[in-house]
Amino acid sequence: MKILYINRPKSEYVQEYLYTGLCKVIGAENVTEYPWNYRMHLNHRPYPKNLSKFSFTTLVDSIKAQFNKEYDVVIVASCNPYTIQKYYEIMDNVDEKIPRVFFDTGDFPELLGDLDRLGGREIFEAAEAKRPFDLIFKREYCLDREYPENVYALPMCFNYDLMPPLDNSYKYDVSFWAVETAQIRTDALTLLEDKFDCKENGTTKNQVMKKYKRKGQFYLQEIASSKIGLNFRGGGWDTVRFWELTGMGCFVISQRLQIQIDHPFVDGEDVVYCKDDLSDLVELCNYYLEHDEERERIGKSAMERVKKYHTDIARAEFVLDKINNL
């Protein structure tokens, strides 16, 4: 399969995860980026701004792919006015019989919610009027919403190429290093900052991402060295943190995610879900700090589930399967 992959030359989590997954499954020479995105090939900023695995082979193959002139499918890889505009500009040059796929990658539960926020819905609707999308994959596929039949859930995932070496030792008891993009995060930090070792490890309010002391793969090593990692929704339910923690086998206490996740994480087996009002959060932290074997078993189970069902490869295979079944 040859794919025309219309993307935005900025950091986009889903866009980058799916690019790496597709390259692993069908080869980078078969995924033609439009425009060619140096951010997916040159390590210009530390993780999580670069989620691709950089190699000379992939770089060369991505350049070779620029010479492809015929495609089997067009993927519009982000819900951003820039990406929609790029697609609209070239859509008439692509055979209308070729399937069209759209990734709604934004935080909003509404379909195209990010286009309403940023502008661009009118361009999308103009493109749809000329040639409707065959498939739409939505990151925030919320359980309390109804979506058209051609819309499928596509949450984030974990790319094991990015996993740093871990020494399996613990430095922190309870950690949650996060910007307060939702009230529950502020509530959790208020509740925890004077408990356990939270204040000492930086689990406090008023954090700013650009001022994080932990960056790059060191950040991943640090959260993996926490006995308990916490996860609460931000702008959307689907957070990078949830997939980082579970992907690296860290024990997670999380707010229950209100989005569709195929092969879901089981409460008490892969993760532990706290109450939405956080009334049991401190109690759960105390319990699992005292039960090392149970805590570590749950963390290991989470990693096994991610490796089996929630990698960049698994997401790419899911998308390709839906395309092949059209």
Side-chain angles (χ1 to χ4, degrees):
M1 182 181 290
K2 292 191 183 302
I3 297 174
L4 179 59
Y5 199 74
I6 301 173
N7 70 99
R8 184 169 79 108
K10 297 286 185 181
S11 292
E12 289 262 1
Y13 295 138
V14 173
Q15 169 184 284
E16 293 178 35
Y17 283 132
L18 266 296
Y19 177 77
T20 63
L22 290 168
C23 288
K24 291 171 187 176
V25 176
I26 64 172
E29 70 277 9
N30 294 312
V31 185
T32 303
E33 304 150 61
Y34 178 74
W36 186 79
N37 188 348
Y38 75 93
R39 293 171 184 264
M40 291 197 286
H41 304 287
L42 305 176
N43 193 11
H44 72 294
R45 293 184 68 183
Y47 177 95
K49 290 297 184 182
N50 289 92
L51 297 177
S52 303
K53 178 64 175 178
F54 309 98
S55 72
F56 181 74
T57 300
T58 302
L59 171 63
V60 172
D61 286 345
S62 76
I63 295 172
K64 290 179 181 178
Q66 295 299 305
F67 295 97
N68 293 339
K69 300 300 181 184
E70 295 183 358
Y71 310 100
D72 300 302
V73 62
V74 178
I75 293 178
V76 180
S78 76
C79 189
N80 185 275
Y82 175 92
T83 320
I84 300 300
Q85 180 64 46
K86 286 295 181 183
Y87 168 63
Y88 189 74
E89 290 171 1
I90 60 94
M91 66 178 296
D92 291 337
N93 299 327
V94 181
D95 188 335
E96 67 175 13
K97 296 179 182 179
I98 294 174
R100 313 295 169 104
V101 177
F102 174 63
F103 293 164
D104 186 336
T105 56
D107 286 335
F108 283 71
E110 299 85 7
L111 202 60
L112 309 179
D114 266 32
L115 291 182
D116 290 331
R117 176 175 66 90
L118 299 170
R121 177 182 278 270
E122 63 283 354
I123 305 173
F124 183 93
E125 291 177 346
E128 274 266 285
K130 296 175 70 173
R131 171 60 168 85
F133 283 96
D134 298 280
L135 294 170
I136 295 176
F137 293 92
K138 183 161 179 58
R139 173 179 155 235
E140 288 286 310
Y141 192 105
C142 291
L143 299 176
D144 62 350
R145 303 292 177 109
E146 292 187 1
Y147 301 99
E149 290 184 355
N150 68 331
V151 179
Y152 295 90
L154 191 73
M156 287 189 280
C157 56
F158 192 73
N159 177 359
Y160 276 95
D161 288 342
L162 300 172
M163 188 168 182
L166 305 176
D167 61 11
N168 298 314
S169 64
Y170 295 113
K171 296 167 62 176
Y172 314 112
D173 287 336
V174 180
S175 69
F176 181 54
W177 306 312
V179 178
E180 295 164 64
T181 49
Q183 184 60 44
I184 193 169
R185 292 187 172 190
T186 301
D187 295 342
L189 290 168
T190 300
L191 179 65
L192 291 169
E193 63 181 348
D194 291 321
K195 295 181 174 64
F196 310 112
D197 62 340
C198 291
K199 183 169 290 186
E200 290 77 12
N201 71 44
T203 299
T204 57
K205 292 186 291 186
N206 303 315
Q207 298 177 54
V208 180
M209 181 177 289
K210 67 180 181 180
K211 294 183 179 180
Y212 276 3
K213 295 179 180 178
R214 303 168 173 94
K215 296 182 180 181
Q217 289 201 318
F218 176 62
Y219 165 78
L220 293 176
Q221 291 172 322
E222 286 283 89
I223 62 174
S225 68
S226 300
K227 292 181 179 179
I228 297 175
L230 303 179
N231 176 73
F232 305 100
R233 67 158 297 155
W237 291 101
D238 191 29
T239 65
V240 177
R241 176 175 290 99
F242 180 81
W243 300 105
E244 291 168 339
L245 291 168
T246 55
M248 292 188 296
C250 180
F251 172 80
V252 181
I253 297 176
S254 175
Q255 180 184 23
R256 192 177 291 273
L257 307 183
Q258 298 301 313
I259 55 173
Q260 176 70 33
I261 299 177
D262 294 335
H263 307 290
F265 294 78
V266 179
D267 189 15
E269 294 183 16
D270 308 307
V271 298
V272 170
Y273 293 115
C274 65
K275 295 178 180 179
D276 285 341
D277 64 2
L278 307 181
S279 59
D280 61 345
L281 179 58
V282 172
E283 178 184 353
L284 288 171
C285 289
N286 277 318
Y287 176 85
Y288 285 103
L289 286 174
E290 295 172 359
H291 292 79
D292 294 346
E293 185 175 337
E294 185 176 359
R295 185 189 70 238
E296 291 174 10
R297 173 184 58 78
I298 292 172
K300 181 179 179 181
S301 179
M303 176 187 278
E304 291 172 352
R305 182 168 292 276
V306 174
K307 285 184 175 180
K308 188 173 183 179
Y309 299 115
H310 300 295
T311 63
D312 55 336
I313 295 173
R315 293 288 185 267
E317 290 176 337
F318 176 75
V319 169
L320 292 172
D321 181 64
K322 294 301 181 186
I323 293 170
N324 285 326
N325 286 331
L326 283 172

